[in-house]
Amino acid sequence: MQGKSIINNSVKIVLCILIFLVLVQGVQAAENYTFVTKWGINGSGDGQFDQPLGIAVDSLDNVYVSDWGNHRIQKFSSTGTFLAKWGINGSGDGQFFRPTGVAVDSTGNVYVVDYGNDRTQKFSSTGTFLAKWGINGSGDGQFFRPWGVAVNSTGNVYVADLGNSRIQKFSPTGTFITKLGSEGSGDGQFLSPWGVAVDSSGNVYVADTSNRRIQKFGSDGTFLAKWGSYGSGDGQFSDLRGVAVDSSGNIYVADTGNNRIQKFAPSSSTPAVTGISPATGTTNGGTTVTITGSGFIGATAVNFGSTAATGVTVVSATSITATSPAHAAGIVDVTVTTPSGTSATSAADKFTYGGVPAANFTGTPTSGNTPLTVQFTDSSINMLTYSSAQNQQES
């Protein structure tokens, strides 16, 4: 079992991102915010906390907090007035061992990830136990250290099954529906996914923690997009733990290792490619290329001519890395496709495939100091790549 040390560095950031989302729900433009109130101190009494972790808000603006160290859920008004609590340390119905994620559906039912008991529990808005599902394991409907939870508009429940590197989807009563992902770093695979969120269209976003990226799926589980890489630059992550989405489709990520929150907007314009580096490679493929431009978030494909690239990583809205596929000699356009469209071809997106360079020697050495000129030319593109003149010493 993972102890408190696992969450010490992430608790505040995960809590902050979710509180932030409550404040900005529905806001379209940048605004200033004024501190309103706060509540809670360390302890076990009503309204006190021992490492509060998950937070959710219902349609009446009541606030639900998973109180990790006190093994309970607490309910408050929007002003912080204590309303109710439920749960004690244990494994019975309505009991918890380290509750983590919490979510509320459109009718006010509350879903809690019972991390230490490897299960999810469902309650009414007043804390009445309604259902539970899950045991320790790797089968369908089983969990190994689940963490995050989200509910879509139809009441289906998504649980981030961290230890099994997957997302599981359930009906509102806990019937297993499907699962997303397997362990790995390919598209649709995960390494320790901590967070999950669902937008108003039913798309699913996953904080793929150890792969340092966000992945997006359709409501049917189809992989749609990914972005992020390891680092501290814009659009890069270090140990991301939480993800959330607002009503406008903006994505918020708790970038725990970098001690910050990052916000990503869905691209509303067609992507554009403004540069390729390097811009040449062999016909065998395998050249790692950095593509610069704009509108790359949510990219679904990169093509060299009509051939799909491999190893595509959306580093940020303005940068993608990809590996060139094998291709016949010649010049091709490198295009980027997102849900908003495919980049138009231009002089800036050209990539040249060449063959093995051939060495052509020019100049006839004679006695004396006649220069010998050596030129290396790539015969497939007729490009001079090296030239040197040397004096021929008399023999």
Side-chain angles (χ1 to χ4, degrees):
M1 182 187 71
Q2 300 179 22
K4 291 184 178 181
S5 61
I6 296 177
I7 54 88
N8 281 340
N9 292 328
S10 62
V11 169
K12 292 182 180 179
I13 290 184
V14 175
L15 184 59
C16 285
I17 185 175
L18 294 171
I19 292 175
F20 182 71
L21 282 176
V22 172
L23 294 173
V24 302
Q25 186 73 23
V27 175
Q28 301 294 319
E31 298 180 6
N32 294 320
Y33 289 90
T34 301
F35 173 80
V36 176
T37 188
K38 63 182 178 182
W39 64 89
I41 59 172
N42 180 261
S44 59
D46 294 347
Q48 298 179 334
F49 302 108
D50 182 3
Q51 298 186 88
L53 189 56
I55 187 169
V57 181
D58 67 17
S59 60
L60 300 176
D61 292 336
N62 296 308
V63 181
Y64 301 83
V65 180
S66 62
D67 191 1
W68 160 280
N70 286 318
H71 310 285
R72 65 185 179 182
I73 298 297
Q74 295 196 69
K75 179 180 178 180
F76 302 87
S77 72
S78 61
T79 58
T81 300
F82 174 81
L83 299 177
K85 64 182 178 183
W86 63 90
I88 59 173
N89 188 358
S91 58
D93 295 347
Q95 298 179 334
F96 305 109
F97 185 57
R98 308 300 192 196
T100 54
V102 59
V104 183
D105 67 19
S106 59
T107 61
N109 295 310
V110 182
Y111 300 83
V112 181
V113 174
D114 191 3
Y115 169 89
N117 286 317
D118 292 307
R119 65 183 180 181
T120 298
Q121 296 194 66
K122 178 180 179 179
F123 302 86
S124 71
S125 61
T126 57
T128 300
F129 173 82
L130 299 176
K132 65 180 177 183
W133 61 90
I135 59 173
N136 180 269
S138 58
D140 294 344
Q142 298 178 334
F143 301 111
F144 181 55
R145 300 302 180 252
W147 193 270
V149 62
V151 183
N152 69 10
S153 59
T154 61
N156 292 317
V157 183
Y158 295 82
V159 179
D161 190 5
L162 187 157
N164 286 316
S165 292
R166 64 185 180 182
I167 303 298
Q168 295 197 68
K169 179 180 179 180
F170 301 89
S171 74
T173 57
T175 300
F176 174 82
I177 297 175
T178 190
K179 59 188 174 185
L180 311 179
S182 60
E183 185 171 338
S185 57
D187 294 346
Q189 295 184 314
F190 308 114
L191 289 177
S192 301
W194 282 67
V196 61
V198 185
D199 67 20
S200 58
S201 298
N203 297 309
V204 181
Y205 302 83
V206 180
D208 188 7
T209 303
S210 294
N211 282 321
R212 277 90 174 196
R213 64 186 180 184
I214 296 293
Q215 293 198 67
K216 178 182 178 180
F217 301 84
S219 58
D220 61 353
T222 302
F223 171 81
L224 298 178
K226 64 182 178 182
W227 67 90
S229 61
Y230 178 73
S232 57
D234 294 344
Q236 295 183 317
F237 304 110
S238 175
D239 198 25
L240 65 161
R241 297 292 179 91
V243 60
V245 57
D246 67 19
S247 60
S248 299
N250 297 305
I251 309 302
Y252 301 81
V253 180
D255 187 10
T256 308
N258 286 318
N259 296 300
R260 63 185 181 182
I261 303 299
Q262 294 196 65
K263 177 182 177 181
F264 301 89
S267 178
S268 59
S269 59
T270 303
V273 176
T274 58
I276 307 291
S277 179
T280 61
T282 69
T283 56
N284 292 331
T287 301
T288 300
V289 173
T290 298
I291 305 164
T292 54
S294 61
F296 291 164
I297 292 298
T300 56
V302 172
N303 285 308
F304 284 63
S306 60
T307 307
T310 59
V312 177
T313 298
V314 181
V315 178
S316 68
T318 59
S319 178
I320 290 177
T321 59
T323 302
S324 64
H327 198 283
I331 300 174
V332 299
D333 293 291
V334 178
T335 56
V336 175
T337 300
T338 71
S340 299
T342 299
S343 58
T345 59
S346 67
D349 70 12
K350 308 303 181 188
F351 183 86
T352 302
Y353 281 96
V356 178
N360 296 326
F361 297 88
T362 62
T364 302
T366 60
S367 60
N369 293 323
T370 301
L372 170 64
T373 300
V374 180
Q375 294 182 335
F376 293 89
T377 303
D378 185 339
S379 60
S380 65
I381 57 175
N382 196 29
M383 180 183 292
L384 179 65
T385 58
Y386 178 78
S387 178
S388 175
Q390 298 290 335
N391 288 333
Q392 176 72 20
Q393 297 298 321
E394 185 175 2
S395 57

